[in-house]
Amino acid sequence: QVQLVESGGGLVQAGGSLRLSCAASGTIFSIDYMDWYRQPPGQQRELVARITSTNYTTYADSVKGRFAISRDNAKNTAYLQMNSLKPEDTAVYYCNFQVRPSTLHYMYSYWGQGTQVTVSS
């Protein structure tokens, strides 16, 4: 079994910064995509950023130039550095990893529990 644990959310003023972390534990052979999603109140969950196993990154247009995703493969951890935060960034942020538990398994998708980010104006 694989578990993802997120940390780093909180309350920040507009223009401030936060850094989210998502650490995977359990039986892990490899991790392909590491994604960050967010779900604003009353809205659908959306993909914010992705980093592949080769460190190729993609971002939603709304966060380009402000957010940066990175990964530490030795720690099975992804990070989301969020700068110049805006009130519209307020949401629950979730990490999602594509994990292969062993060479005998396919890739499986695992989600973190979510962490609240609130940006005040």
Side-chain angles (χ1 to χ4, degrees):
Q1 186 69 318
V2 174
Q3 291 187 326
L4 272 57
V5 177
E6 303 174 21
S7 60
L11 174 65
V12 65
Q13 288 188 333
S17 298
L18 284 174
R19 188 191 194 208
L20 306 183
S21 299
C22 179
S25 62
T27 304
I28 298 170
F29 173 73
S30 65
I31 302 175
D32 190 1
Y33 293 169
M34 291 180 170
D35 294 340
W36 284 98
Y37 285 76
R38 68 184 180 187
Q39 187 166 15
Q43 299 184 40
Q44 291 187 337
R45 195 172 296 188
E46 61 178 358
L47 179 62
V48 174
R50 167 173 291 173
I51 185 165
T52 70
S53 58
T54 58
N55 287 321
Y56 180 77
T57 58
T58 55
Y59 298 92
D61 288 343
S62 58
V63 306
K64 281 181 181 176
R66 300 188 298 121
F67 290 12
I69 188 171
S70 60
R71 62 190 286 167
D72 184 334
N73 292 325
K75 297 181 179 180
N76 292 325
T77 299
Y79 304 96
L80 186 67
Q81 178 66 44
M82 304 185 294
N83 300 324
S84 302
L85 282 161
K86 304 175 181 179
E88 50 264 43
D89 294 318
T90 295
V92 178
Y93 284 71
Y94 299 89
C95 57
N96 175 256
F97 290 3
Q98 305 300 313
V99 179
R100 177 170 288 178
S102 76
T103 56
L104 300 178
H105 290 83
Y106 296 108
M107 288 284 182
Y108 294 99
S109 176
Y110 294 93
W111 288 89
Q113 80 283 3
T115 185
Q116 177 69 47
V117 171
T118 302
V119 184
S120 63
S121 57

